[in-house]
């Protein structure tokens, strides 16, 4: 037991003995209201807030208190305004590194604008604004003329508008927009802002609405990371262009545009693509397929230019909607992805795999293929013998007027010549509806094993809490008498139980030899 005398530090206040600069640094990590409350601790703490380099102010927290009456809420907001005024007055002209403000305002934005202009004059480097207003709130023009800003994040409601006049942000590296508007013109001012940030490296746009713009252009040679999540779902954007030759990461979710005149991604390494058709386009496209009239190109949308632009990517994630866009919006123009080594496909019970064989055939150096779920829509191509069952023409089974065709027949080259070494299935065993069952998913895994000659590892992340489910699947796979790769190791893993089955392939006539390994997951 430690000597109690060694533990005795007396009555000395060790924290207060720290240098002012260090104490201010510690306070900068607290919400400003909490940092201000430390002024009552001792006389020495009274004025430390004047030198705190980061201010974090939030009056939206009162909106999360439903039991607080309207009068009390208004009093709290008034008190908040007075508090901010006092803090800024206390700090005077002291340099400021970061200013974060979350604020709900009324019809008069002058108070908030005064705060923003104050911190700009003090050379703030990081400005984070969330403005909620029922009235139009334009971002103060001087924000776009700051010589010191390194990071600018603006968010709010549809009434938060950015009116782009002069732009001079020589040090800005990070620019975030969330749920803001660029006015009626939209495209030209947005393009002017992006191209005017000569040091910009990261652009994030969330809840953007640009379907009514005549065009949207993201053009900046210094950009390295771009994340775009557009909310429009009823209309196709007219024109979307990218001129980002040094971009290395792209995350793009949007309704597919009518055209992509420019898609320059010369340095792209990783892309996550979630482009989608409108609901009407999805309905029309699927209706043609289900009525045996084939796959027709979607009207009003053409994604060929976009996918050609990202064809140098090494790591690619495609949502199920994007897979459907490949089918209906650029089926005959899927480019060759020579550099692609890691592909993740999100699957859906309503989306068939019509474009997947061509995509994999055009990925000659693919090493890792990941399926998120193992669902596929019914092809309903019973009139085409290439899409029928291998041993039977019975496409309409017990489930009624439903095509039971399997998606891999008719295009065997995408499997028999596949270079894929690692195959992973996330959420294996997830059942989405009555059409979906374990037999369909297990059959597909068997077919992969029988047809893909370069497989070295197959990992099934089984979505089940039951030990017996893993045993059933493992036993079923063990019955295989033929595998394309004699060096394939198979693992069936569940996050909910403490062991997995590891399966090693053998060249013996009996097919697969299983070794059961138990370990914590």
């Amino acid at each position: 037991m430690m000597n109690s005398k060694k533990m005795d530090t007396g009555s000395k206040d060790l924290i207060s003995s720290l240098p002012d600069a260090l104490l201010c640094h510690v306070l900068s990590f607290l919400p400003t209201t909490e940092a201000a409350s430390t002024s009552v601790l001792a006389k020495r703490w009274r004025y430390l807030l004047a030198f705190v380099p980061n201010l974090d102010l939030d009056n939206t927290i009162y909106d999360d208190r439903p039991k607080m009456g309207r009068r009390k809420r208004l009093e709290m907001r008034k008190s908040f305004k007075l508090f901010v005024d006092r803090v800024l007055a206390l700090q005077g002209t002291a340099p400021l590194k970061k200013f974060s403000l979350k604020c709900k305002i009324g019809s008069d934005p002058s108070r908030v604008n005064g705060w923003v202009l104050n911190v700009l004059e003090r050379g703030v480097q990081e400005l984070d604004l969330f403005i909620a207003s029922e009235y139009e709130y334009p971002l103060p023009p001087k924000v776009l003329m700051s010589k010191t800003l390194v990071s600018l994040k603006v968010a709010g409601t549809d009434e938060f508008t950015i009116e782009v006049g002069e732009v001079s942000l020589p040090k800005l590296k990070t620019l975030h927009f969330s749920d803001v508007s660029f006015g009626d013109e939209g495209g030209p001012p947005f393009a002017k802002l992006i191209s005017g940030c000569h040091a910009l490296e990261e652009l994030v746009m969330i809840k953007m609405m640009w379907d009514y713009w005549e065009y949207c252009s993201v053009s900046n040679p210094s950009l390295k990371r771009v994340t775009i999540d557009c909310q429009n779902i009823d209309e196709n954007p007219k024109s979307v262009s990218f001129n980002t030759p040094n971009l290395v990461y792209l995350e793009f979710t949007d309704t597919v545009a009518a055209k992509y005149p420019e898609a320059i991604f010369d340095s792209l390494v990783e892309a996550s693509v979630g482009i989608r058709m409108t609901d009407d386009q999805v309905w029309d496209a699927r209706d043609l397929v289900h009525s045996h009239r084939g796959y027709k190109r979607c009207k009003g949308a053409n994604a060929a230019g976009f996918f050609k632009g990202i064809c140098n990517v090494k790591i690619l994630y495609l949502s199920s909607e994007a897979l459907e866009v490949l089918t209906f919006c650029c089926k005959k123009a899927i480019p060759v992805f020579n550099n692609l080594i890691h592909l993740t496909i999100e699957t859906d019970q309503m989306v068939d795999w019509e474009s997947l064989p061509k995509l994999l055939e055009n990925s000659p150096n693919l090493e890792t293929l990941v399926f998120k779920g193992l669902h596929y829509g019914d092809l309903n191509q019973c009139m085409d013998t290439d899409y029928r069952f291998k041993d039977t023409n019975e496409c309409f089974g017990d489930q009624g007027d439903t095509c039971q065709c399997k998606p891999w027949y008719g295009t065997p080259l995408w499997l028999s010549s596949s270079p894929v070494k690692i195959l992973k299935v996330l959420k294996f065993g997830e059942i989405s509806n009555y059409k979906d069952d374990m037999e369909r998913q297990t059959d597909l895994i068997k077919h992969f094993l029988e047809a893909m000659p370069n497989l070295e590892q197959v990992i099934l992340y089984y979505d089940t809490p039951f030990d017996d489910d893993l045993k059933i699947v493992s036993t079923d796979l063990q019955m295989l008498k033929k595998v394309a790769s004699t060096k394939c190791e198979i693992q069936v893993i569940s996050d909910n139980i403490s062991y997995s089955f590891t399966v090693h392939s053998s060249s013996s006539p009996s097919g697969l030899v299983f070794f059961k390994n138990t370990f914590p997951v």
Side-chain angles (χ1 to χ4, degrees), residues 30-261:
L30 297 175
T32 303
T33 52
E34 294 182 15
S37 66
T38 62
S39 63
V40 301
L41 295 177
K43 186 176 181 179
R44 184 182 171 220
W45 290 75
R46 187 171 300 172
Y47 300 107
L48 284 180
L49 187 62
F51 307 101
V52 172
N54 297 342
L55 296 180
D56 183 359
L57 300 154
D58 183 0
N59 85 338
T60 62
I61 57 176
Y62 308 128
D63 297 329
D64 297 329
R65 301 176 183 179
K67 294 183 179 180
M68 181 184 292
R70 182 175 180 273
R71 178 179 296 180
K72 180 64 174 177
R73 190 175 288 111
L74 291 174
E75 290 177 358
M76 295 296 288
R77 287 176 183 164
K78 183 178 180 180
S79 174
F80 174 81
K81 293 176 183 178
L82 294 173
F83 173 75
V84 177
D85 287 340
R86 287 197 298 268
V87 170
L88 294 180
L90 177 66
Q91 292 201 327
T93 60
L96 194 64
K97 180 182 179 183
K98 180 178 180 180
F99 183 72
S100 177
L101 174 66
K102 293 182 180 179
C103 187
K104 187 171 184 178
I105 63 175
S107 58
D108 183 10
S110 59
R111 195 82 162 264
V112 171
N113 289 346
W115 300 338
V116 173
L117 295 177
N118 176 287
V119 299
L120 288 174
E121 291 172 359
R122 293 163 57 188
V124 67
Q125 298 176 38
E126 300 176 34
L127 183 59
D128 188 347
L129 299 176
F130 175 88
I131 307 297
S133 176
E134 297 178 0
Y135 305 89
E136 182 174 320
Y137 174 77
L139 184 72
K142 287 189 177 180
V143 173
L144 304 184
M145 295 293 292
S146 171
K147 306 299 182 184
T148 60
L149 276 180
V150 175
S151 173
L152 174 60
K153 300 179 181 180
V154 292
T157 61
D158 293 338
E159 303 302 326
F160 194 151
T161 61
I162 300 176
E163 298 176 357
V164 181
E166 293 185 70
V167 178
S168 179
L169 296 163
K171 293 185 178 181
L172 192 70
K173 292 185 177 182
T174 300
L175 181 58
H176 287 206
F177 300 122
S178 180
D179 206 6
V180 298
S181 168
F182 281 85
D184 295 334
E185 294 185 30
F190 172 79
K192 180 181 180 180
L193 173 58
I194 301 303
S195 61
C197 302
H198 303 300
L200 190 63
E201 296 182 358
E202 180 181 32
L203 173 65
V204 176
M205 301 192 299
I206 306 297
K207 296 182 181 180
M208 294 295 292
M209 299 285 285
W210 61 24
D211 54 308
Y212 64 92
W213 296 4
E214 285 300 317
Y215 70 89
C216 175
S217 175
V218 180
S219 178
N220 190 305
S222 63
L223 273 172
K224 296 180 180 179
R225 295 178 65 88
V226 168
T227 299
I228 298 175
D229 183 1
C230 292
Q231 297 297 300
N232 49 297
I233 58 174
D234 298 326
E235 298 290 337
N236 300 97
K238 298 177 179 65
S239 174
V240 177
S241 293
F242 292 90
N243 186 349
T244 51
N246 292 303
L247 196 72
V248 295
Y249 176 83
L250 173 66
E251 187 173 339
F252 185 39
T253 301
D254 190 17
T255 303
V256 61
K259 59 181 179 179
Y260 296 87

Side-chain angles (χ1 to χ4, degrees), residues 27 31 34 85-86 131 139 142 179 195 212 233 288 311 355 371 373 377 381 401 454 457 479 512-513 515 518:
L27 291 177
E34 294 182 15
D85 287 340
R86 287 197 298 268
I131 307 297
L139 184 72
K142 287 189 177 180
D179 206 6
S195 61
Y212 64 92
I233 58 174
L288 288 173
C311 68
S355 59
F371 287 101
Q381 293 294 299
D401 189 17
N454 294 299
Q457 189 176 36
M479 301 301 291
L512 301 178
V513 179
F515 299 89
T518 302

Side-chain angles (χ1 to χ4, degrees), residues 292-308:
H292 309 293
R293 285 180 283 177
Y295 290 84
K296 306 296 183 181
R297 182 171 170 176
C298 178
K299 294 181 180 180
N302 187 352
F306 173 76
F307 281 104
K308 184 178 180 181

Side-chain angles (χ1 to χ4, degrees), residues 7 224 267 282 396:
M7 296 291 293
K224 296 180 180 179
S267 305
V282 170
F396 295 89

